[in-house]
Amino acid sequence: MNMLPTLSNWVELFNHFASLSLLAIGGAITTAPDMHRYLVTEQGWLSETQFTSSIALSQAAPGPNVLFVALMGWNVGLNAGGGPQVGGVAWMLALLGMLIALVAIMLPSSVVTYTATRWAHANRQLRSVRAFKAGMAPIVIALLIATGWLLMAAHDQVAHDWRLWLLTAVTTLLVWRTRIHLLWLIGAGAVLGAMGWV
Amino acid sequence: MPPPTPTDSLLADAAICRPQSRTDLFVSFTMLALQGFGGVLAIVQREVVEKKRWLTREEFLEDWAVAQIMPGPNVVNLSMMIGGRHFGLPGALAALAGMLAAPLVIVLLLAILYGNVADTPLAQGALRGMGAVASGLITATGIKLIAALDNNPMGRALCIAIAAMTFVAIALLRWPLVWVLLGIGGVACIWTYRVLGLKERLAQGAVP
């Protein structure tokens, strides 16, 4: 998208993220595969690298991981404005994209959560509440694993990417089996990458 | 309110503190969010239950379960529930703003810094490595949760089958999320509802 986006592009982005907001059971990260399908594959508004870096940067920063959505909006806006080298217009569009993405992903889920939590709290023994929670559990788990898979699947040159896959596998094992602090792992990944070893 | 002695906290399991104001909510959740890298659950439990004593351990578990089944980020949902309980909608908004505002500024600064060096092989390599770690973190979070399926009313085998179908539909076939959630999710919820009903009837029948 190298020309300025139309209003309908922004409305489309807002609508897509707002509908994902209500599907984000288990956290916004479970909607990442769908964002990838929409932003990278279908619309071509984000590059594969920008998609992965949005998630990696938000994992490396403090705060809730939902901020990766803000970064995706930021990058969509930046691309729409022609990239950071263009200056003013691109930065304004980046801010606009960030606001649209963040408000869209947060607003519907927050309204539903705010209104429904008292009801759910009072009715936590109800069969339908328990059925919903238990029925969704395996799907939430599958969505998390699918997100991890999708982030790796972009790197598919076996001869050259196998070290990257190994790093992911080792990280998975360490996080699963030990209580090691996540910052050490992210730092180690950054160092290994900067040295050109993965 | 003076902090309780350790003996008090063991005897009385009631939450004896509450947020003082909306500003208190905003500042407390900002501090909490800034401590959370990757996973924040451990930090939330320590801050809200042990330090602030806004919730008892039991209340925390119940509220956390509800925060999880609601759409949206779990920790953000929990902060809104606490804020809303004490100060209504303004309280929920103060808590929400606390969770998002400062971290948003930090992550944007990181993105801009990265943008300036994105063309250097060093930065590209570092982010490539961090990306591989990030995908490991997310995968491991999913794997850790598999243990929670042992107590699922559908039974472990059926749960694994549902999870496998969902994985294939999303990761390999790349189907839109909404159809997968409505389709597989809908069937799973209805099935669980029936199993729970059957168990209730069995429990009633078994006890004369």
Side-chain angles (χ1 to χ4, degrees):
Chain A
M1 200 157 73
N2 278 322
M3 50 184 199
L4 291 183
T6 61
L7 182 64
S8 72
N9 288 145
W10 291 120
V11 173
E12 221 181 299
L13 182 74
F14 184 91
N15 286 343
H16 191 82
F17 277 28
S19 60
L20 285 185
S21 175
L22 290 178
L23 302 177
I25 292 162
I29 197 75
T30 56
T31 64
D34 203 74
M35 289 177 182
H36 181 273
R37 186 185 61 77
Y38 178 72
L39 295 175
V40 180
T41 313
E42 276 181 18
Q43 305 284 7
W45 287 344
L46 276 189
S47 71
E48 196 73 67
T49 319
Q50 285 175 320
F51 184 88
T52 314
S53 72
S54 298
I55 292 183
L57 281 172
S58 77
Q59 293 266 356
N65 292 338
V66 65
L67 294 176
F68 80 87
V69 180
L71 285 187
M72 284 182 188
W74 173 268
N75 281 318
V76 169
L78 212 52
N79 290 350
Q85 65 281 359
V86 174
V89 181
W91 293 117
M92 291 312 289
L93 285 175
L95 267 179
L96 179 69
M98 183 205 79
L99 272 179
I100 287 176
L102 193 61
V103 170
I105 200 75
M106 288 305 303
L107 190 66
S109 68
S110 298
V111 170
V112 168
T113 298
Y114 183 75
T115 48
T117 43
R118 280 162 208 232
W119 181 86
H121 187 65
N123 296 284
R124 58 192 177 280
Q125 295 308 324
L126 220 61
R127 175 144 66 114
S128 51
V129 173
R130 282 154 57 216
F132 179 69
K133 192 177 152 191
M136 281 300 178
I139 292 162
V140 169
I141 291 170
L143 288 175
L144 285 170
I145 298 175
T147 303
W149 167 268
L150 222 115
L151 288 176
M152 279 321 295
H155 305 283
D156 55 0
Q157 311 288 315
V158 179
H160 162 264
D161 288 331
W162 65 269
R163 278 169 298 200
L164 215 53
W165 284 78
L166 186 65
L167 178 58
T168 301
V170 170
T171 308
T172 307
L173 221 80
L174 283 175
V175 177
W176 177 24
R177 285 301 187 186
T178 72
R179 308 191 127 265
I180 188 170
H181 201 288
L182 305 181
L183 261 190
W184 289 114
L185 295 172
I186 292 170
V191 171
L192 285 175
M195 312 275 274
W197 287 345
V198 292
Chain B
M1 194 179 288
T5 65
T7 328
D8 284 340
S9 70
L10 284 176
L11 292 176
D13 215 10
I16 30 96
C17 298
R18 51 169 285 157
Q20 301 300 307
S21 61
R22 277 161 279 181
T23 313
D24 185 18
L25 280 170
F26 178 82
V27 172
S28 297
F29 281 118
T30 299
M31 297 315 288
L32 195 155
L34 289 180
Q35 291 177 62
F37 291 85
V40 268
L41 176 57
I43 290 149
V44 183
Q45 172 350 95
R46 200 171 63 208
E47 287 287 316
V48 172
V49 179
E50 290 169 23
K51 283 198 192 155
K52 301 270 176 197
R53 301 173 58 78
W54 288 348
L55 294 175
T56 65
R57 249 172 267 125
E58 289 72 19
E59 286 169 338
F60 176 76
L61 279 180
E62 282 173 11
D63 284 349
W64 183 250
V66 176
Q68 273 186 310
I69 61 170
M70 286 294 131
N74 300 335
V75 189
V76 179
N77 285 349
L78 185 76
S79 69
M80 280 180 38
M81 287 163 67
I82 294 175
R85 194 166 303 156
H86 293 290
F87 293 99
L89 187 57
L93 290 176
L96 178 71
M99 287 298 294
L100 293 181
L104 180 63
V105 173
I106 292 179
V107 87
L108 272 189
L109 287 177
L110 266 181
I112 292 171
L113 283 178
Y114 175 73
N116 286 333
V117 294
D119 295 334
T120 66
L122 202 72
Q124 279 174 355
L127 207 75
R128 192 170 139 90
M130 277 159 60
V133 170
S135 72
L137 293 183
I138 296 164
T139 309
T141 311
I143 292 176
K144 275 192 199 173
L145 287 171
I146 292 177
L149 294 178
D150 286 347
N151 299 321
N152 196 290
M154 284 187 287
R156 193 186 162 87
L158 187 55
C159 280
I160 301 282
I162 289 172
M165 275 195 291
T166 309
F167 179 85
V168 170
I170 294 285
L172 306 181
L173 302 176
R174 309 272 169 104
W175 286 354
L177 180 62
V178 58
W179 299 120
V180 177
L181 276 186
L182 287 178
I184 304 181
V187 171
C189 287
I190 293 168
W191 183 263
T192 315
Y193 186 80
R194 292 179 55 109
V195 172
L196 286 174
L198 205 69
K199 282 190 175 163
E200 274 169 22
R201 281 198 296 280
L202 275 177
Q204 281 160 6
V207 183

